[in-house]
Amino acid sequence: MQQPVIRIKDLTKYYGKAKGIEHVNLTVQEGEIFGFIGPNGAGKSTTIRILLNLIFPTNGSAEVLGMDVIRESKRIKKLTGYIPSDANAYMKMTVAEFLAYSSRFYFSGNSGRKIRELTVLFDLDTKRKIADLSRGNRKKVAIIQSMVHNPKLLILDEPTTGLDPLMQQQFFELLRKENHNGMTIFFSSHVLSEVQLLCERVAIIKEGEIIKIENIDNLRKKQLKKVFLEIEGEIPREIATIAGIEHIMMNSGNMLSFLFSGDINDLIRTLSATKLMNMTLEEPSLEEIFMHYYK
Amino acid sequence: MISIRLYMNGNLMLNEFRINLLSFALWLILICFFVAFTMAFYPMFIENQSQFMGLFNLFPTGLFEFKGISNFDDLFSVLGFYAANNAVYMQLFGSIYAIILGSNILLKEEYNKTADFLLSRPLTRSEVYLTKTAVMVFYILILNIIVILTGYLSIEFVKTGPYDLQSYLILSLYTFLLNLLFGFTGLFISTLIKRARPFTTLGIGIVLFMYFLYTISKITDEAEKLGYISPYRFVDANVLNPDYALNPWFVLYFAGLVIFLALTAFFIYKRKDIYV
């Protein structure tokens, strides 16, 4: 049987009396790109920091690559790469010095070839000081340092903040390539679209608790959309009976919005009897997705 | 050698040496300059002995007692002059350097927000703690050795007669133990801080307060017992006492406190939640 790369059991962390996470359970299999999504302060970073032994759990346990995150932290970190949400590095070092320093923790020599490949890919000037880099370029440095040692597991905490869309695309291509070569990826984000783009399964976390662990294909099948309608005259009562409609909000006498996860053709058929002034379909916000899962 | 390979990390150690080199060099230059500069006044001091004696007689003897001077004549021996005027540089400035170094060596990773990077490398907390502590002890030791050499050369240069080198070395050893204690005090306090920020001012304040407490305890009888709170009370600076020797109880005091602070800081750091 395949060994899970991450196994979290009943993990709980309290900061004094404040809840960080509570009874978090999840398993990430080898070779997966696993999304971990939730709003800011939901407990994503807390979970990741426990996996990396930066903080200690109040209760529960976690294993990475079959090893306990507290007792065997050093061995885990040898096989794990990590991109923190804030890409901070030693400001007085140049990019080259920092990457060489980082790689010497894994290799006795300098893993120059891999560093060169990645700095070329990300178009990074290695002679510049970290302090002089933009936020986006610092993020690139953080991405490179996390991959230099070809880790088995890559843990990403909001990795795209600061990256421009073109660089995000290149980064996602790199992640797909590394995943194809066997790397397991744990991708934490508050942006649903990028998680949907990359991940196979996703765990949704809110207020420190896992609400749902869902296959991304199932999530897509649900095609959750936010629909705005502006109707001339009265809003037909049949709308509320269409399968897949939830959280209807009346904005005014002839305007309404709702979340829709049903067949869009059913909706259009029902609406064909009314005179529409306007209709828009949008990606729902995270909060709205959470509302959907809370129902 | 095997244990060093197991419990310390060479890459981290070299980086720590590099990062802390500049501040070490500045403190070293400052202290050595003061030591050599002050000793350069000794020949002039001897030449004008009678005028200075007249001046000192206006002061109570106790004023100098805490510097190891029980009699004003002692000030005119080269070692007495050193103990009264020069030893204080290392006892104060050296201790300030040590407490700043100790307070920053672990904590700077947190307030500079590099702790996530460092602690996600394949290192145990023990390796990080032991490597950084070793660098701290190394810099305090090297600072002491170079200042001892500077002091020795300065004394040799201005001396007018023989002096007891062993007494000089014993006083220097007390100073090293004092510096080491302040270094570990800084390290210990830094492990207690949850939301990391530098506490350089507090560190300097602790050293100055302890020195002030000891000075007061020597000058006024009412405050004598207060002196025992200060580690300066356990630095025997009475170098001209014919029986001057290393007091094993004082050494035990320093060693015991250093070991206690080092072990407590170690266990706190091993279980500390790191935030950036």
Side-chain angles (χ1 to χ4, degrees):
Chain A
M1 198 181 139
Q2 208 179 35
Q3 174 90 337
V5 172
I6 298 175
R7 189 186 347 227
I8 296 175
K9 279 187 199 163
D10 233 10
L11 202 62
T12 299
K13 173 71 183 175
Y14 271 81
Y15 300 103
K17 284 183 179 172
K19 181 171 79 175
I21 53 172
E22 196 165 57
H23 304 301
V24 168
N25 288 285
L26 65 87
T27 303
V28 178
Q29 296 297 338
E30 192 178 347
E32 263 193 301
I33 304 185
F34 189 91
F36 194 42
I37 190 154
N40 292 331
K44 303 189 297 293
S45 294
T46 297
T47 309
I48 286 174
R49 296 180 80 74
I50 292 173
L51 292 179
L52 291 162
N53 195 220
L54 295 168
I55 58 174
F56 291 82
T58 311
N59 260 314
S61 66
E63 286 178 6
V64 170
L65 298 158
M67 296 175 273
D68 183 83
V69 292
I70 298 171
R71 285 195 302 274
E72 293 168 279
S73 162
K74 182 178 175 176
R75 284 177 64 202
I76 290 171
K77 286 184 263 188
K78 193 138 195 145
L79 302 167
T80 307
Y82 169 53
I83 303 176
S85 53
D86 291 318
N88 292 300
Y90 298 90
M91 295 297 170
K92 288 179 183 170
M93 287 186 184
T94 64
V95 173
E97 283 168 349
F98 175 69
L99 293 174
Y101 175 54
S102 175
S103 69
R104 280 195 298 269
F105 283 109
Y106 303 92
F107 309 101
S108 50
N110 191 340
S111 54
R113 197 174 139 208
K114 181 90 178 179
I115 292 175
R116 270 194 300 280
E117 271 175 28
L118 292 169
T119 48
V120 168
L121 178 74
F122 284 105
D123 189 25
L124 202 58
D125 181 0
T126 56
K127 292 189 187 83
R128 290 184 69 187
K129 282 206 166 181
I130 304 275
D132 299 333
L133 298 180
S134 65
R135 194 175 171 213
N137 280 337
R138 279 185 205 166
K139 198 65 159 198
K140 290 179 194 174
V141 176
I143 292 168
I144 295 169
Q145 62 79 25
S146 74
M147 291 187 171
V148 164
H149 57 291
N150 294 315
K152 284 189 170 179
L153 168 68
L154 188 62
I155 297 175
L156 316 171
D157 192 359
E158 307 279 359
T160 55
T161 38
L163 289 183
D164 60 59
L166 197 69
M167 209 41 81
Q168 271 187 35
Q169 208 179 337
Q170 264 181 318
F171 174 51
F172 283 179
E173 274 169 31
L174 177 69
L175 290 179
R176 282 192 200 97
K177 191 180 130 199
E178 295 289 349
N179 176 247
H180 184 73
N181 293 335
M183 188 189 281
T184 306
I185 296 168
F186 188 77
F187 189 103
S188 158
S189 175
H190 67 275
V191 184
L192 180 67
S193 56
E194 64 183 28
V195 170
Q196 279 180 326
L197 206 64
L198 202 68
C199 301
E200 292 145 23
R201 280 197 310 142
V202 61
I204 298 173
I205 186 167
K206 190 183 182 190
E207 289 168 4
E209 289 172 42
I210 300 276
I211 299 165
K212 186 91 178 168
I213 298 178
E214 183 78 272
N215 194 305
I216 209 82
D217 287 335
N218 292 343
L219 205 68
R220 278 206 191 95
K221 271 178 207 158
K222 287 189 175 160
Q223 295 279 353
L224 192 66
K225 297 282 174 210
K226 182 153 194 184
V227 182
F228 291 93
L229 295 177
E230 195 176 345
I231 294 167
E232 200 176 279
E234 263 192 38
I235 295 168
R237 290 184 175 194
E238 307 87 76
I239 284 184
T241 63
I242 302 170
I245 281 192
E246 59 195 84
H247 298 290
I248 299 175
M249 298 270 290
M250 302 292 285
N251 297 343
S252 68
N254 63 342
M255 286 169 73
L256 79 160
S257 64
F258 52 85
L259 291 178
F260 185 67
S261 58
D263 187 341
I264 196 82
N265 296 300
D266 292 344
L267 179 66
I268 289 170
R269 262 194 297 276
T270 311
L271 292 174
S272 63
T274 60
K275 190 165 183 188
L276 281 174
M277 289 169 72
N278 200 1
M279 176 178 180
T280 53
L281 273 83
E282 279 181 6
E283 284 270 313
S285 70
L286 259 182
E287 283 298 316
E288 286 158 345
I289 292 169
F290 296 137
M291 275 156 54
H292 169 74
Y293 282 109
Y294 268 136
K295 71 179 178 181
Chain B
M1 193 63 201
I2 292 166
S3 60
I4 287 172
R5 282 172 63 88
L6 279 174
Y7 296 113
M8 291 190 200
N9 182 279
N11 190 30
L12 175 62
M13 188 176 273
L14 284 174
N15 191 50
E16 284 303 319
F17 278 135
R18 199 180 55 77
I19 288 173
N20 291 294
L21 187 61
L22 182 65
S23 66
F24 166 76
L26 291 173
W27 279 97
L28 180 69
I29 291 166
L30 179 84
I31 296 169
C32 286
F33 170 76
F34 276 118
V35 168
F37 185 74
T38 310
M39 278 316 280
F41 281 93
Y42 180 67
M44 192 249 319
F45 192 65
I46 294 292
E47 276 172 28
N48 301 292
Q49 187 167 351
S50 55
Q51 284 99 316
F52 278 112
M53 275 304 277
L55 183 68
F56 291 150
N57 281 329
L58 298 174
F59 299 114
T61 319
L63 189 66
F64 287 92
E65 208 176 289
F66 69 96
K67 291 180 172 182
I69 302 299
S70 49
N71 165 344
F72 288 135
D73 285 333
D74 291 351
L75 277 168
F76 296 95
S77 78
V78 74
L79 209 52
F81 183 88
Y82 181 87
N85 300 298
N86 286 40
V88 72
Y89 295 132
M90 267 309 272
Q91 286 166 10
L92 263 183
F93 296 163
S95 296
I96 289 172
Y97 167 72
I99 203 166
I100 292 173
L101 178 65
S103 64
N104 281 324
I105 203 145
L106 286 170
L107 201 66
K108 69 171 185 277
E109 301 284 356
E110 290 173 62
Y111 65 72
N112 287 337
K113 301 185 186 300
T114 50
D116 274 11
F117 166 80
L118 182 65
L119 296 175
S120 59
R121 302 309 97 187
L123 295 166
T124 60
R125 293 277 179 102
S126 311
E127 282 173 321
V128 173
Y129 179 87
L130 291 174
T131 305
K132 284 178 172 260
T133 306
V135 171
M136 178 191 80
V137 172
F138 175 83
Y139 271 127
I140 294 172
L141 180 67
I142 296 298
L143 181 78
N144 274 268
I145 289 173
I146 298 176
V147 173
I148 289 168
L149 281 173
T150 308
Y152 169 72
L153 291 173
S154 305
I155 291 171
E156 285 292 317
F157 199 71
V158 299
K159 71 177 182 185
T160 52
Y163 69 97
D164 187 1
L165 180 62
Q166 192 180 316
S167 296
Y168 171 70
L169 291 175
I170 290 170
L171 178 63
S172 302
L173 183 61
Y174 275 123
T175 307
F176 170 64
L177 290 172
L178 181 77
N179 291 171
L180 207 56
L181 177 60
F182 278 116
F184 277 98
T185 303
L187 190 77
F188 169 73
I189 296 170
S190 77
T191 58
L192 299 175
I193 290 177
K194 287 195 173 166
R195 293 284 171 192
R197 57 192 173 276
F199 62 97
T200 308
T201 318
L202 175 69
I204 296 170
I206 291 171
V207 173
L208 293 179
F209 177 70
M210 290 300 173
Y211 190 73
F212 173 75
L213 210 61
Y214 174 62
T215 309
I216 291 291
S217 78
K218 277 291 177 184
I219 293 172
T220 64
D221 291 340
E222 293 81 9
E224 197 205 337
K225 284 195 175 124
L226 274 179
Y228 285 93
I229 298 169
S230 167
Y232 286 95
R233 171 68 183 76
F234 301 93
V235 174
D236 183 0
N238 198 6
V239 281
L240 297 178
N241 182 343
D243 300 326
Y244 186 64
L246 209 54
N247 183 330
W249 292 110
F250 288 2
V251 174
L252 199 66
Y253 162 86
F254 282 112
L257 270 181
V258 164
I259 290 168
F260 169 76
L261 291 172
L263 284 177
T264 313
F266 175 69
F267 287 114
I268 294 171
Y269 186 68
K270 263 184 83 107
R271 294 292 299 183
K272 187 181 183 186
D273 282 348
I274 304 292
Y275 308 102
V276 290

